[in-house]
Amino acid sequence: QKEVEQDPGPLSVPEGAIVSLNCTYSNSAFQYFMWYRQYSRKGPELLMYTYSSGNKEDGRFTAQVDKSSKYISLFIRDSQPSDSATYLCAMSSSSNTGKLIFGQGTTLQVKP
Amino acid sequence: DVKVTQSSRYLVKRTGEKVFLECVQDMDHENMFWYRQDPGLGLRLIYFSYDVKMKEKGDIPEGYSVSREKKERFSLILESASTNQTSMYLCASSLGGATNEKLFFGSGTQLSVL
């Protein structure tokens, strides 16, 4: 079993839809949770960063962490064609080493 | 903006060749990382470095080595390339301390070993 599980998709939605992307994990030591966005032929870029449980909002993006269920989510409101990308969840333990464990990524396509 | 530059976008090598992948960051970051990205497997950590001349093994170090002679430069070396090392290689850096997890990535090098 992988430490971090993420449905690879692809996920196709119409413009304006609310998108929900999810990851589950098995290691209860994870404390730092991130979402990276990767456009085609580019490196990942950090989108959202949260520590421990709770919600964090940034514009159209909301990240949720439920440590009791070992489940994290990224919500995108009013999705745009420019949101079409691969979304990678990533996590690390409380040792704060910068060593991240990534999910395999979910490919999202937002159709105009 | 932080810039992480990888020297080659595409690289084709033959089995048994020694391959060097170069990475340079321009923001005085302490930490540098090498990941490989494969379909269905996501990103996996090969090696990382917290300081000049320091290196630590990641999750899949076999067949690779690294060099960090200067703070801004981190090189990945494939001593004898094999076909199973065909992959996208991503270099990343982070400032260090409380922001260790905020990685800045380069655009990647797509390596094909024939």
Side-chain angles (χ1 to χ4, degrees), chain B:
Chain B
D1 277 354
V2 175
K3 191 164 184 182
V4 179
T5 303
Q6 294 184 231
S7 55
S8 303
R9 186 69 184 95
Y10 297 96
L11 213 50
V12 180
K13 296 293 181 180
R14 296 213 174 269
T15 302
E17 278 192 76
K18 191 169 186 176
V19 181
F20 293 86
L21 302 183
E22 306 287 346
C23 175
V24 177
Q25 49 94 4
D26 66 358
M27 284 299 289
D28 202 34
H29 279 181
E30 298 292 328
N31 309 322
M32 297 189 75
F33 306 82
W34 276 106
Y35 285 86
R36 63 177 281 177
Q37 184 175 26
D38 300 287
L41 297 176
L43 275 75
R44 293 178 292 165
L45 182 62
I46 305 171
Y47 267 98
F48 60 104
S49 169
Y50 291 143
D51 200 353
V52 175
K53 297 193 185 296
M54 273 194 58
K55 60 182 179 183
E56 292 202 34
K57 293 180 179 179
D59 299 318
I60 52 164
E62 296 78 18
Y64 303 95
S65 62
V66 290
S67 172
R68 195 169 181 197
E69 296 295 319
K70 294 184 178 181
K71 189 175 185 179
E72 67 271 18
R73 187 179 297 270
F74 193 35
S75 303
L76 180 69
I77 303 154
L78 286 66
E79 296 289 343
S80 178
S82 63
T83 55
N84 63 10
Q85 292 178 312
T86 291
S87 185
M88 170 67 81
Y89 289 88
L90 290 161
C91 175
S93 70
S94 68
L95 182 60
T99 61
N100 264 347
E101 284 70 23
K102 296 182 179 180
L103 300 186
F104 293 85
F105 283 88
S107 293
T109 296
Q110 180 63 54
L111 173 67
S112 296
V113 183
L114 306 178

Side-chain angles (χ1 to χ4, degrees), chain A residues 80-94:
Chain A
Q80 302 296 310
S82 59
D83 296 327
S84 298
T86 297
Y87 291 81
L88 301 145
C89 63
M91 312 176 186
S92 69
S93 70
S94 58

Side-chain angles (χ1 to χ4, degrees), chain A residues 19-90:
Chain A
V19 176
S20 172
L21 305 169
N22 311 295
C23 289
T24 59
Y25 63 95
S26 57
N27 187 346
S28 58
F30 287 146
Q31 294 283 342
Y32 302 87
F33 303 92
M34 287 132 282
W35 286 94
Y36 283 82
R37 177 176 62 195
Q38 185 176 22
Y39 290 114
S40 180
R41 294 186 292 278
K42 296 286 188 181
E45 57 178 340
L46 182 64
L47 191 60
M48 299 288 282
Y49 174 91
T50 53
Y51 172 70
S52 195
S53 285
N55 294 0
K56 184 173 183 179
E57 188 173 323
D58 184 1
R60 296 185 294 109
F61 298 89
T62 301
Q64 285 186 354
V65 175
D66 182 349
K67 290 187 70 179
S68 62
S69 302
K70 298 190 180 69
Y71 189 87
I72 71 169
S73 301
L74 177 71
F75 297 96
I76 308 174
R77 291 184 299 280
D78 188 25
S79 56
Q80 302 296 310
S82 59
D83 296 327
S84 298
T86 297
Y87 291 81
L88 301 145
C89 63

Side-chain angles (χ1 to χ4, degrees), chain A residues 6-12 21-22 85-87 104-109:
Chain A
Q6 185 176 7
D7 186 337
L11 183 61
S12 181
L21 305 169
N22 311 295
T86 297
Y87 291 81
Q104 64 180 31
T106 300
T107 299
L108 171 68
Q109 184 180 25

